[in-house]
Amino acid sequence: MKKNEKSLWELLWEYDPNGLIVVDKEMNITIVNPAFCKMFSVDSEEIIGLPVSYILKSDVRDFQKVWDKNEVIRVEESEYKEHNLYVRKVIFPIPDESIVACIMVDTTHDKLRQKEIIKLKTETIAKVNEVVDNQMKVAQQIAGLLGETTAETKVSLLKIVKMLEQEVFEDG
């Protein structure tokens, strides 16, 4: 029965869609799963034994903090630009084995969708501002034309009034 349990855990490790990485107390990579390798475009045989900083750059501080304080750290978002990757991480110690493990959930799709929505909103705001500006220009042009025609009408009417007044005074 123990043998079946172990193979089930191995299957879970292999098929988990989340990236999984384990480091030892020297912060060297001891195990990675296929999802991690896919996320970072690496081969497990090539990175086992390398410092975690080789792949995760500055994240080594988080791993060291977990090791030093023996506490779980949750990181809401990390970006790995060179891999076009965004992840949420949970880094936790396993003191009995003298290791630190990390589960990485790929949030790239959500982040890109969020950026696309922000871009769309920004473009929409710009378009609305452009339409309002154009409407204001047209309204000002119409007002200007109405003002001009009103002034012209007033001048013509005043000429007629003066002419009629002159006739009244001359006749009267």
Side-chain angles (χ1 to χ4, degrees):
M1 187 157 166
K2 285 285 186 190
K3 186 174 183 177
N4 285 341
E5 286 178 24
K6 184 175 182 187
S7 64
L8 176 61
W9 286 113
E10 288 171 349
L11 282 172
L12 287 171
W13 180 263
E14 294 295 315
Y15 287 96
D16 190 336
N18 299 310
L20 306 170
I21 181 171
V22 176
V23 300
D24 60 22
K25 62 183 175 182
E26 284 83 31
M27 299 297 123
N28 294 320
I29 301 168
T30 59
I31 306 171
V32 292
N33 74 338
F36 179 90
C37 292
K38 184 177 178 184
M39 285 178 181
F40 290 91
S41 303
V42 294
D43 186 272
S44 62
E45 289 84 27
E46 293 175 6
I47 62 168
I48 300 297
L50 294 177
V52 71
S53 60
Y54 176 78
I55 298 289
L56 302 182
K57 311 298 180 214
S58 64
D59 288 352
V60 72
R61 286 177 272 150
D62 290 336
F63 282 83
Q64 192 65 54
K65 183 177 177 183
V66 168
W67 176 260
D68 293 341
K69 295 188 176 188
N70 197 35
E71 65 182 29
V72 175
I73 290 180
R74 286 174 174 73
V75 181
E76 284 303 312
E77 184 177 286
S78 291
E79 178 182 11
Y80 299 95
K81 287 183 181 178
E82 62 275 8
H83 300 287
N84 295 318
L85 179 66
Y86 293 89
V87 296
R88 274 192 335 260
K89 296 183 288 194
V90 178
I91 308 170
F92 55 97
I94 305 176
D96 295 347
E97 298 292 322
S98 296
I99 57 175
V100 172
C102 178
I103 300 170
M104 296 182 166
V105 179
D106 186 347
T107 59
T108 305
H109 176 74
D110 295 337
K111 186 67 175 181
L112 294 177
R113 191 177 78 229
Q114 182 183 26
K115 283 184 174 184
E116 188 62 35
I117 288 170
I118 289 169
K119 179 182 173 191
L120 183 62
K121 286 179 179 179
T122 303
E123 288 171 356
T124 302
I125 289 168
K127 192 66 176 172
V128 167
N129 284 332
E130 182 183 329
V131 167
V132 169
D133 288 346
N134 286 338
Q135 285 182 337
M136 291 298 293
K137 285 178 190 172
V138 169
Q140 288 171 349
Q141 289 172 345
I142 291 170
L145 290 173
L146 284 173
E148 285 176 28
T149 58
T150 302
E152 288 172 5
T153 303
K154 182 178 180 181
V155 167
S156 297
L157 288 173
L158 286 173
K159 284 181 182 177
I160 292 171
V161 167
K162 281 187 180 184
M163 187 177 74
L164 288 173
E165 284 176 343
Q166 280 179 355
E167 284 181 17
V168 168
F169 289 126
E170 287 174 5
D171 291 342

